[in-house]
Amino acid sequence: MTIFNNPSRNTWSELCERPQLQLEFLEGSVKNILARVQQGGDYALKELTRQFDKVELSELALNTAEIQHAVNTIEPQLKSAIQTAASNIEKFHRAQLRDVMKVETMTGVSCWRKGMPVEKVGIYIPGGTAPLFSTVLMLAIPAKLAGCREVVLVSPPDKQGNIHPAILFTAHLTGVANIFKAGGAQAIAALAYGTESIPKVNKIFGPGNQYVTKAKQLVNQQGVAIDLPAGPSEVLVWADESATPTFVAADLLSQAEHGADSQVMLVVNSTGLAEKIQQEVQQQVTTLPRKEIAVQALRNSRVIVLEKETDALDFVNTYAAEHLIINTKNSDELAEQIINAGSVFIGNYTPEAAGDYASGTNHTLPTNGYATAYTGVSVESFLKYITFQKISEEGIKQIGPVVEVMAEAEELIAHKNAISIRLKTLTT
Amino acid sequence: MTIFNNPSRNTWSELCERPQLQLEFLEGSVKNILARVQQGGDYALKELTRQFDKVELSELALNTAEIQHAVNTIEPQLKSAIQTAASNIEKFHRAQLRDVMKVETMTGVSCWRKGMPVEKVGIYIPGGTAPLFSTVLMLAIPAKLAGCREVVLVSPPDKQGNIHPAILFTAHLTGVANIFKAGGAQAIAALAYGTESIPKVNKIFGPGNQYVTKAKQLVNQQGVAIDLPAGPSEVLVWADESATPTFVAADLLSQAEHGADSQVMLVVNSTGLAEKIQQEVQQQVTTLPRKEIAVQALRNSRVIVLEKETDALDFVNTYAAEHLIINTKNSDELAEQIINAGSVFIGNYTPEAAGDYASGTNHTLPTNGYATAYTGVSVESFLKYITFQKISEEGIKQIGPVVEVMAEAEELIAHKNAISIRLKTLTT
């Protein structure tokens, strides 16, 4: 990690730059995969699975025996942990639901707004060695709370043609029954266009490798909604001398182990503290199973020393971190002043890991500075709001003349007529 | 308007097809405009304004004298109408604001979610003969309610270098002071990249021609948020014999006059009613100043006769109209069953025109079937929600072991360490 000592403001935008996703070169091959699935359906999907996942599938859909087997396989301790996490996530997301909001804006003019579930949603869960069952919780729970009619989960099979039992257990726990073995860009294609087995959905959620990310981008341009634009995961830890350096180091490393392109930022108020934390990082990293990845990520990472708290606050808001840990003596007060971040972790006992898994907040968050304008996944991500209005005879008499004047000024006379023709029947 | 009599369900997806936006051919020229403004700033913007708007500008920013002049120019009747509309829109949108939601998911684990304004937003208001000052209301009012720090309005100048006074009056009324003369793709570029005069923004709102739409698409792919994917405006009127045919015809025409690519759909339960309404449309259209446009739009339009109410309901939900007018004897009951629509207008006295201007609901809505997954503009469009969490020593003892088990199962040991290292200091 390179230390930048009181960098001047005109260097900040450079210091806030993220490792760039280079997805352009993928466009051709991902477009090709999308087209193959759109035309060939299940057959193409199985061919692509043979090619990329090195496994021959007879069926794409999981059957209940496979799911039941997974449920029986999971160790009780892990089961219980997942259940506790699910309960917390459910509590936090349930509180996001809101009642229909009705307003009478003028006498006889009633307007309201009602959240309705996106009918069909797709959830992509990456495969590989580490089974991201926590992402199943983060997506399936709000989908169910929102009331989505159909939740379709896709995840790549391993070389034996199986999906990891922890993913299946979590899907089962959260009530997801529609599970298919499909990964990569071809899985996104299946969700976007539908195949004989896999239903076409209205919105696609979930993380993935660069093929998945590119496929989501492309189908989004074709009209399928997606959760968020993607970028590598990142954390910014803002610490002062009240923070425990070993804790800060552990938090930085828990981000660094995600991937070589993860970004780890540390903002502190003295070089002394910066060095102390760096030493801790060097020590702890050696013990990690994923230390090669972590070391690579640390190479892109930066320590920013800003002595003045107002400078640090401005820098933190400029960076707009996906995860922001504030570990300072006045962390509550500083948290109040955060204007750009995905999720904020306050104090010495609030590691990002808690929110990644179990505290209740969602871990699907805006990366890459998108926190300036985008919100992480919530129940709202699975809803769309419809506005309604009903105007009475009295109401149209009130509002009609206003609309007539405005429509005429915009030279939209048919708009005016739609009012006048009604008012005429009421005044006679 | 072509009548389709009890069309079978397998033809519905074709009947729900929208006129396609053909934007691909624009890509090259819009990319070129974006690059020119990104490199050349104000100078390039003025050059492009000379080229496209046929006017030489010395200043891009409006000065207070120009705004004051506009305020003085507007007729009192129009002023008062705009003020009434503003008041209704403000009431409806203010009710959308919500308090911070705090949940203690476990003892010592507090999580909350807070809406924070998108700091800088850009509003594009089209120019041309009809000044769309109503769109200023629909975008500036929620932006102000959300608390956006900077609201930047751009609108193309006329050949005298002016912006229509009704637009300026409305901007002034809604507290927008940052107004610039710029239109087309070049205005979107200025908002996306910033120039010497025009501030770079985090999110861009507003309707526009195909150049504007393409430019918004392209800068969105570069990371600038936008309000909604765009398509031509549309209405679906669902009527039965209880509806007044002249009203229905007027509502259909108020959509048809928007543009030749507008889509007008009528769903009725008998061919008799379909014919009666069509006759009314033929009669009323002849009186319209924009009748050529309306006649063209009517050519793409469809009348769907579905005798069974459940079929009609399914069709309406499949179409997912931007504007849905339900004008039937049981319109309240049917409105309850709508699952896909942008905005719903209920009953014989609720024309779309009311919501376009003044009832209080927003008129920036999802077109093109996007209502299946997207929400129209609201206060929420100008906010992003940040999640916060704070865990106490007691809290980390509660949740820590859960996270340790899950992190280990996902093989993310640094995540586990961030917990263990804290728990160790607490148990000794």
Side-chain angles (χ1 to χ4, degrees):
Chain A
M1 300 178 83
T2 318
I3 297 187
F4 298 85
N5 209 340
N6 284 305
S8 71
R9 283 181 182 247
N10 58 27
T11 67
W12 286 10
S13 73
E14 206 178 315
L15 290 174
C16 288
E17 267 173 20
R18 312 312 212 256
Q20 286 304 304
L21 277 182
Q22 296 299 348
L23 296 177
E24 290 322 307
F25 73 97
L26 289 174
E27 189 148 323
S29 63
V30 172
K31 276 187 172 165
N32 178 39
I33 294 171
L34 296 183
R36 278 178 67 183
V37 176
Q38 190 168 24
Q39 285 150 26
D42 281 351
Y43 179 79
L45 208 47
K46 287 178 188 171
E47 271 194 336
L48 289 160
T49 303
R50 190 186 313 126
Q51 185 182 338
F52 293 115
D53 302 298
K54 315 289 178 210
V55 59
E56 190 85 37
L57 296 177
S58 54
E59 288 296 327
L60 296 169
L62 264 88
N63 58 50
T64 41
E66 286 175 283
I67 296 167
Q68 200 50 56
H69 176 73
V71 172
N72 299 338
T73 305
I74 300 291
E75 282 180 39
Q77 200 192 23
L78 180 57
K79 254 186 203 176
S80 147
I82 294 175
Q83 279 159 342
T84 304
S87 154
N88 289 348
I89 295 164
E90 206 264 345
K91 267 183 223 163
F92 186 67
H93 286 75
R94 182 178 291 282
Q96 293 163 17
L97 289 166
R98 35 181 178 170
D99 296 333
V100 173
M101 178 213 80
K102 201 158 190 166
V103 179
E104 191 174 20
T105 54
M106 286 177 111
T107 310
V109 181
S110 283
C111 300
W112 64 101
R113 193 164 179 262
K114 185 167 85 165
M116 290 297 293
V118 177
E119 282 190 90
K120 297 179 189 180
V121 298
I123 293 180
Y124 184 89
I125 303 295
T129 49
L132 296 187
F133 59 85
S134 61
T135 302
V136 180
L137 295 175
M138 296 295 175
L139 299 176
I141 291 173
K144 288 288 163 176
L145 284 169
C148 299
R149 192 158 59 76
E150 201 158 353
V151 180
V152 182
L153 190 153
V154 294
S155 190
D158 63 19
K159 290 197 179 64
Q160 286 71 48
N162 298 317
I163 294 178
H164 195 286
I167 291 175
L168 296 181
F169 168 74
T170 311
H172 181 73
L173 178 72
T174 53
V176 178
N178 257 327
I179 306 173
F180 298 92
K181 296 169 186 167
Q186 60 273 24
I188 302 301
L191 293 172
Y193 310 126
T195 70
E196 298 87 331
S197 305
I198 302 185
K200 174 179 161 62
V201 301
N202 307 116
K203 190 167 182 176
I204 300 173
F205 293 78
N209 64 18
Q210 51 194 0
Y211 286 87
V212 170
T213 298
K214 188 72 206 171
K216 281 173 70 185
Q217 264 182 18
L218 289 171
V219 301
N220 185 225
Q221 286 165 40
Q222 293 165 18
V224 181
I226 62 169
D227 46 2
L228 280 170
S233 190
E234 62 201 29
V235 73
L236 187 154
V237 181
W238 181 8
D240 68 9
E241 56 294 334
S242 77
T244 308
T246 52
F247 297 0
V248 174
D251 291 342
L252 294 171
L253 286 169
S254 74
Q255 186 59 54
E257 78 170 338
H258 267 300
D261 57 359
S262 284
Q263 198 173 49
V264 174
M265 301 282 285
L266 174 64
V267 174
V268 288
N269 56 356
S270 77
T271 44
L273 181 59
E275 282 158 11
K276 217 180 288 178
I277 292 167
Q278 274 208 316
Q279 280 164 20
E280 276 299 328
V281 168
Q282 295 314 329
Q283 213 149 10
Q284 289 183 28
V285 75
T286 59
T287 68
L288 294 179
R290 294 165 69 92
K291 70 169 165 248
E292 268 101 66
I293 291 170
V295 166
Q296 276 182 281
L298 290 172
R299 267 188 218 123
N300 300 321
S301 297
R302 299 171 191 137
V303 183
I304 315 291
V305 180
L306 288 164
E307 279 160 21
K308 277 177 62 183
E309 190 178 87
T310 51
D311 286 340
L313 178 66
D314 288 348
F315 183 86
V316 165
N317 277 323
T318 304
Y319 185 76
E322 181 193 13
H323 305 98
L324 167 62
I325 300 177
I326 308 181
N327 195 341
T328 65
K329 57 184 170 309
N330 56 344
S331 53
D332 291 307
E333 194 189 294
L334 295 178
E336 289 283 338
Q337 296 173 71
I338 295 306
I339 54 181
N340 293 318
S343 196
V344 183
F345 301 78
I346 303 170
N348 208 24
Y349 292 98
T350 316
E352 186 203 313
D356 287 342
Y357 287 106
S359 63
T361 59
N362 208 288
H363 77 195
T364 309
L365 294 164
T367 54
N368 200 31
Y370 292 127
T372 51
Y374 289 87
T375 296
V377 166
S378 72
V379 168
E380 308 275 344
S381 313
F382 296 87
L383 296 169
K384 74 268 177 181
Y385 283 84
I386 305 178
T387 51
F388 292 84
Q389 57 200 286
K390 182 166 189 180
I391 303 177
S392 67
E393 293 187 20
E394 176 56 27
I396 197 81
K397 285 185 199 168
Q398 295 272 335
I399 203 173
V402 170
V403 177
E404 288 181 307
V405 170
M406 291 175 75
E408 182 149 13
E410 285 196 357
E411 299 173 31
L412 293 172
I413 301 307
H415 283 66
K416 184 186 176 190
N417 285 353
I419 303 291
S420 311
I421 210 164
R422 286 172 164 91
L423 289 181
K424 242 179 276 167
T425 66
L426 294 177
T427 45
T428 53
Chain B
M1 298 177 85
T2 318
I3 298 187
F4 297 84
N5 210 340
N6 284 307
S8 71
R9 283 183 183 245
N10 59 26
T11 66
W12 286 11
S13 71
E14 205 178 316
L15 289 174
C16 288
E17 267 174 20
R18 313 310 213 257
Q20 286 305 302
L21 276 182
Q22 295 299 347
L23 296 177
E24 291 321 308
F25 72 96
L26 289 173
E27 189 149 321
S29 62
V30 172
K31 275 186 173 165
N32 178 39
I33 293 171
L34 296 183
R36 277 177 69 183
V37 175
Q38 190 168 22
Q39 285 149 28
D42 281 353
Y43 178 80
L45 209 47
K46 286 178 188 172
E47 271 195 337
L48 289 159
T49 303
R50 191 187 311 125
Q51 184 182 337
F52 293 115
D53 302 298
K54 315 288 178 210
V55 58
E56 189 84 38
L57 296 177
S58 54
E59 288 295 327
L60 295 168
L62 264 89
N63 58 50
T64 41
E66 286 175 281
I67 296 167
Q68 201 49 55
H69 176 73
V71 171
N72 299 338
T73 306
I74 300 292
E75 282 181 39
Q77 200 192 21
L78 179 57
K79 254 185 203 176
S80 147
I82 294 175
Q83 278 158 343
T84 304
S87 155
N88 289 349
I89 294 163
E90 206 263 344
K91 266 183 226 164
F92 186 68
H93 286 75
R94 182 178 292 281
Q96 293 163 16
L97 288 167
R98 35 180 179 171
D99 296 333
V100 173
M101 177 214 81
K102 202 158 189 166
V103 180
E104 192 174 19
T105 54
M106 287 177 111
T107 310
V109 181
S110 283
C111 301
W112 64 101
R113 193 163 178 262
K114 184 167 86 165
M116 290 296 295
V118 177
E119 282 190 90
K120 297 179 190 181
V121 298
I123 293 180
Y124 185 89
I125 302 295
T129 48
L132 296 187
F133 57 85
S134 60
T135 301
V136 181
L137 295 175
M138 296 296 175
L139 299 176
I141 291 173
K144 288 287 165 178
L145 284 169
C148 298
R149 193 159 58 77
E150 201 157 353
V151 181
V152 182
L153 189 153
V154 294
S155 190
D158 64 19
K159 290 197 179 60
Q160 286 70 50
N162 298 318
I163 295 177
H164 194 285
I167 292 175
L168 297 181
F169 167 74
T170 311
H172 181 73
L173 177 72
T174 53
V176 178
N178 257 327
I179 307 172
F180 298 93
K181 296 169 186 169
Q186 60 273 23
I188 301 301
L191 293 172
Y193 310 126
T195 69
E196 299 88 330
S197 306
I198 302 184
K200 174 180 163 60
V201 301
N202 306 116
K203 190 167 182 176
I204 300 174
F205 294 78
N209 63 19
Q210 50 193 2
Y211 287 87
V212 170
T213 297
K214 188 71 205 171
K216 281 173 70 185
Q217 264 182 18
L218 290 171
V219 300
N220 185 224
Q221 286 166 39
Q222 294 165 17
V224 181
I226 62 169
D227 46 2
L228 281 170
S233 192
E234 62 202 28
V235 73
L236 186 154
V237 182
W238 182 8
D240 69 8
E241 58 293 334
S242 77
T244 309
T246 52
F247 296 1
V248 174
D251 291 341
L252 294 171
L253 286 169
S254 73
Q255 186 58 52
E257 77 170 339
H258 267 301
D261 57 0
S262 284
Q263 198 173 51
V264 174
M265 302 283 285
L266 174 64
V267 174
V268 288
N269 55 356
S270 77
T271 44
L273 180 59
E275 283 157 11
K276 216 181 288 178
I277 292 167
Q278 274 209 315
Q279 280 163 21
E280 275 299 329
V281 168
Q282 296 312 330
Q283 212 148 12
Q284 289 183 28
V285 74
T286 59
T287 68
L288 293 180
R290 293 165 71 91
K291 71 170 164 247
E292 268 100 66
I293 291 171
V295 166
Q296 277 182 280
L298 290 172
R299 265 188 221 126
N300 301 320
S301 295
R302 300 170 190 139
V303 184
I304 315 292
V305 181
L306 288 164
E307 279 161 20
K308 277 177 62 184
E309 189 177 85
T310 51
D311 287 341
L313 178 66
D314 287 350
F315 183 86
V316 165
N317 277 323
T318 303
Y319 185 76
E322 181 193 14
H323 304 99
L324 167 61
I325 300 177
I326 308 181
N327 195 342
T328 64
K329 55 184 172 308
N330 56 345
S331 52
D332 290 306
E333 194 191 296
L334 295 178
E336 290 282 338
Q337 296 174 72
I338 295 306
I339 54 180
N340 294 317
S343 197
V344 182
F345 301 79
I346 304 169
N348 208 25
Y349 292 98
T350 315
E352 185 202 314
D356 287 343
Y357 286 108
S359 63
T361 60
N362 208 287
H363 76 195
T364 309
L365 294 165
T367 53
N368 199 32
Y370 292 127
T372 51
Y374 289 88
T375 296
V377 166
S378 71
V379 167
E380 309 274 347
S381 313
F382 296 88
L383 296 169
K384 74 267 176 179
Y385 283 84
I386 305 179
T387 52
F388 293 83
Q389 58 201 283
K390 183 166 188 180
I391 303 178
S392 67
E393 294 186 18
E394 176 56 29
I396 195 81
K397 284 186 200 168
Q398 295 273 334
I399 202 173
V402 171
V403 177
E404 288 181 305
V405 170
M406 292 175 75
E408 182 150 11
E410 286 195 357
E411 299 174 32
L412 294 172
I413 301 307
H415 282 67
K416 184 186 177 193
N417 286 351
I419 302 291
S420 311
I421 210 165
R422 285 173 165 90
L423 289 181
K424 242 178 278 171
T425 65
L426 294 177
T427 45
T428 52

